[in-house]
């Protein structure tokens, strides 16, 4: 049985999580988020062996706001691995954990940013996707790494049972 690992996200203040980071007096529009996700596919897909903080710095240097970059780094690999390994019975929820150790269940279907990412991944997949990009992005997910370990240890894909991913927020 493969269990997903915990994702740890740094450099995110409490107020940015609650209110969102603003540009001037407005919160970033959905179309801007779409554009950032598409740009991130190229950036993350071409980046090998970067830690999350290094990748976040790269996204910021390419015009993506920090809080948006954190969400993309968190959820883009999850969306990629779920699309790639569509035959797995993926949990419909994930757990968010803040510093107080309380884990709060969240539905992927209620996370608007995840839904946008999922839609863009679907379009990417249907438009001659690059295998290296798929591997580079999906390979960043805790889910992929748990499944890969199971298979390398002699398990079979039929043995895979994925638990809820825990996303640690600070």
């Amino acid at each position: 049985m493969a269990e997903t690992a915990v994702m740890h996200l740094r450099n995110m203040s409490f107020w940015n999580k609650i209110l969102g980071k603003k540009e001037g007096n407005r919160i970033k529009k959905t179309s801007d988020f779409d554009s950032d996700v598409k740009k991130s596919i190229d950036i993350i897909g071409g980046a090998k062996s970067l830690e999350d903080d290094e990748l976040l710095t790269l996204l910021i240097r390419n015009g993506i706001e920090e809080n948006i970059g954190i969400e993309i780094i968190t959820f883009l690999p999850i969306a990629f691995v779920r699309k790639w390994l569509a035959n797995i019975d993926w949990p419909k929820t994930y757990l968010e954990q803040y510093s107080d150790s309380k884990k709060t269940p969240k539905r992927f279907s209620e996370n608007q940013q995840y839904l946008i990412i999922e839609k863009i991944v679907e379009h990417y997949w249907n438009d001659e996707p690059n295998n290296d990009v798929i591997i580079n992005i999906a390979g960043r997910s805790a889910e992929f790494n748990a499944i890969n370990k199971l298979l390398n240890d002699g398990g079979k894909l039929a043995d895979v049972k994925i638990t809820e991913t825990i996303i640690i927020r600070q």
Side-chain angles (χ1 to χ4, degrees), residues 74-142:
T74 302
F75 290 107
L76 186 64
I78 293 170
F80 261 80
V81 76
R82 284 171 172 246
K83 179 65 180 166
W84 189 12
L85 301 174
N87 293 339
I88 292 178
D89 184 22
W90 295 102
K92 297 188 183 342
T93 58
Y94 59 95
L95 300 172
E96 282 195 356
Q97 180 177 340
Y98 291 89
S99 60
D100 64 2
S101 299
K102 182 180 175 188
K103 295 175 185 164
T104 306
K106 305 274 183 160
R107 295 188 70 73
F108 284 100
S109 63
E110 294 173 355
N111 179 327
Q112 291 306 308
Q113 289 179 323
Y114 178 79
L115 293 175
I116 291 168
I117 289 170
E118 189 177 57
K119 178 186 72 169
I120 291 169
V121 168
E122 181 71 31
H123 287 282
Y124 179 80
W125 219 268
N126 293 329
D127 191 28
E128 299 180 35
N130 179 306
N131 287 340
D132 290 336
V133 169
I134 292 169
I135 292 168
N136 287 344
I137 295 175
R140 297 187 66 81
S141 75

